[in-house]
Every structure is written in structure tokens, then in C-alpha cells.
Amino acid sequence: MRALVTGASGFVGRHLVDALRREGAEAFGFGGPLDGDLGIDLGDAETIRRALDLSRPDVVFHLAAQTFVPDALASPIDTYEINAIGSARLAEAVRAYDAAPLRVVFASSAEVYGVRAAREYPLRETVEPRPQNPYGASKAAAETILLGESRAFGLDVVVARAFNTIGPGQSERFVIASFAAQLARIAAGGDPKLFVGNLDTARDFLDVRDVTAAYVALARDGERGEIYNVCSGAAISIRDALGELIRTAGVAVEVREDPQRVRAAENPLSAGDPAKVRARTGWVPQIPLRTSLRDVYAAARDRVAAGAAP
């Protein structure tokens, strides 16, 4: 496999490039607009064409996106421009590419499903998207664009709807990484106050290394024009995940709710059904949630010990 990875400087992108190279693939990672010749600006089609010419791939893993929901709420138009219109520019560049046909694996999100009735869980790919925020809407639009290109022009597209990805190296803006970083600083002698948002929501967490393995499996065996949930099939409350992290850290903490960390109209539950991707590719998650949480904490502890900035 010869692969081009957009968004390669991001959390999942870095892990995906590593996973591809471990399997012997030739992986070419392209970051964002600030990464020069190794970057792609989804607002500039020429940078996409240049990346294709440099890498000559047979698979494009399209991960580049604005991924943080609060940022999408603050700047909806920018999010639509990057995630939806940027994906259209990528599709156009791939169609114009003068080499053999290549596959696009699009990293979408469970945010496209929105808030659902309890009877609908675990969510299957047949559930009609009903996004509740600009990020989810932008990903749903990008799916529609890419699958439309597949039907209209024969573009080989596979959509992977990832649920809540966690793992070592994730930004502290995300909930599990935030808890781990706060606990690591407390363990290093910091103030024992740990600030949280809504702990009563439940999420289908999956380790980033399992997520990237699913992406590679879909590149090889996914059916063209199809959508696949990438998830564990089980949800855990944020409260229980925090409890496991606290036990791992082995420190006494004072948990305090921070109103700035509470999202308006937050989805109380998100859990998917991974049966379709398992049936098609044989992929199953390999890393238990407890192991993943421990690895996230260990990475945060190492970062604090090294004196790295958040």
C-alpha cells in the first residue's frame, strides 16, 4: 500500500502514519497549511494536487479537518469551509489525478448522528444523520459530497464514522486527555482541584490505535460507497472513566464542576454498533478501555515530568 494521509500532524494522523509504516506501507503524511511542502491547505487545491504528485498514492486517508466541537460552535463558517468544501476540493483533485484509480478513506464522525432516542442505540449506519452542531453538520455534508462524487463520477470512497477516539498524545482540549493531564499535575505536587464538565454523559470510547487499524482494514477491504461505524459497541459514563483515571493516578483529588466545560445541549449518550465493519473486514478492537486510560495517563505523566507545556 502506498498511502497519502491528510491531517498527518494531528492526533489520529500521527498514529495512522506510524501504523501504516509498521505494516510495511509507504506512508506520506501531510499536515496543515503551516507545514510548508509537507502541508495541505484544504482551501487551496494546488496544495492537494502537489501532495498527490509527491506521494503517488493508491489510497488517500482524508483526516484533515477542524475537529473540536467548541471551535466549530465559535466559527461555523470556517468549519464548513475546511471540513465540507475542503473535502470537495480534495475529491476534485483525486478525480483529476492522472495515475491509476485510488481509494479515499474518509474519517467522518459519530457527531453526524446527533441526539437520538434511547431505543435507537446502539446506532447503526442505517440511522439517518441528524447533526446537532456545526461540526457534525460539516462532517455530514462532507460525507454527502464524497459519496455523491462516488455515485456521479465513480470515485472510490469509503466512509469511516469514528466515535470517541482517545489515546496517548491527544490534546488536553478533549475530555479524557484533560482529566489525565490535570491528574498528572496533581500527582507532581500541584493543586488537588480537578475541574470537570458534565460527568453524566456516556460515550463509546475507542483507543486511537484500534481506530487506525480499522481505517487500514477499510482501505483494504471496505466496500466502495459504504459507511462503517468505527466503535467498540459499548458506552461508559464520563464519571466512570474519570474514576478509573483517578485510581490509576493514585492521588486524592477535589472534583469541581467548571461551567465553562459544560456544553449546551450536549448529547447524553453516544454508542455505535460495529457489526458492519467487523463483518466486512474482520476488524475487532484489541485494546481494553482500562489499558487505553492507563496509557493516556502515563503519557500525561511523562509530559509533566519532562516539563512540557500543555
Side-chain angles (χ1 to χ4, degrees):
M1 184 185 298
R2 191 175 173 92
L4 185 163
V5 179
T6 75
S9 57
F11 166 56
V12 180
R14 295 193 305 272
H15 281 275
L16 177 57
V17 170
D18 289 344
L20 287 163
R21 289 174 178 167
R22 282 196 302 271
E23 293 204 3
E26 291 185 84
F28 298 83
F30 290 84
L34 300 180
D35 292 318
D37 287 342
L38 292 179
I40 288 175
D41 181 352
L42 292 175
D44 181 356
E46 181 55 37
T47 67
I48 303 171
R49 288 192 289 269
R50 185 185 67 230
L52 288 167
D53 288 339
L54 286 171
S55 57
R56 312 297 289 179
D58 48 67
V59 179
V60 175
F61 293 92
H62 181 33
L63 277 60
Q66 194 294 100
T67 60
F68 192 48
V69 172
D71 284 352
L73 290 167
S75 302
I77 297 300
D78 289 343
T79 300
Y80 298 139
E81 173 63 33
I82 295 168
N83 294 0
I85 303 304
S87 295
R89 290 192 184 93
L90 181 133
E92 185 175 56
V94 167
R95 281 198 290 109
Y97 184 51
D98 62 358
L102 59 113
R103 163 159 287 188
V104 176
V105 177
F106 175 55
S108 187
S109 167
E111 287 284 344
V112 305
Y113 289 118
V115 178
R116 317 302 301 207
R119 66 180 181 277
E120 296 181 271
Y121 290 98
L123 298 172
R124 296 176 178 84
E125 295 85 352
T126 51
V127 172
E128 183 179 359
R130 197 167 62 206
Q132 304 289 311
N133 58 57
Y135 172 67
S138 72
K139 284 293 191 177
E143 286 186 10
T144 300
I145 289 166
L146 291 170
L147 293 173
E149 291 268 339
S150 178
R151 290 185 287 269
F153 302 110
L155 192 68
D156 185 354
V157 174
V158 176
V159 173
R161 283 182 183 158
F163 279 63
N164 293 79
T165 305
I166 62 173
Q170 190 171 30
S171 166
E172 288 183 35
R173 297 189 301 173
F174 294 86
V175 61
I176 297 300
S178 172
F179 291 163
Q182 291 184 73
L183 286 165
R185 289 191 282 269
I186 292 169
D191 189 325
K193 297 183 183 66
L194 191 151
F195 295 95
V196 303
N198 184 358
L199 296 180
D200 295 322
T201 58
R203 296 289 179 264
D204 188 333
F205 290 114
L206 191 63
D207 191 282
V208 65
R209 292 159 289 191
D210 280 326
V211 171
T212 57
Y215 290 172
V216 175
L218 287 170
R220 288 180 172 146
D221 299 318
E223 184 176 353
R224 177 173 135 180
E226 290 294 320
I227 298 169
Y228 297 88
N229 286 337
V230 177
C231 56
S232 73
I236 181 175
S237 74
I238 303 297
R239 188 181 305 278
D240 288 346
L242 173 59
E244 181 63 34
L245 282 168
I246 291 172
R247 286 188 290 274
T248 298
V251 294
V253 301
E254 178 185 340
V255 177
R256 290 193 174 186
E257 184 175 291
D258 178 1
Q260 293 186 346
R261 296 171 186 255
V262 178
R263 284 187 203 163
E266 188 167 18
N267 191 352
L269 172 64
S270 179
D273 183 350
K276 184 176 178 179
V277 66
R278 289 178 181 178
R280 179 71 187 187
T281 71
W283 170 88
V284 292
Q286 300 297 312
I287 302 174
L289 178 60
R290 179 172 293 179
T291 300
S292 187
L293 291 171
R294 289 177 177 175
D295 288 350
V296 172
Y297 176 71
R301 183 190 58 209
D302 292 345
R303 188 175 180 86
V304 168

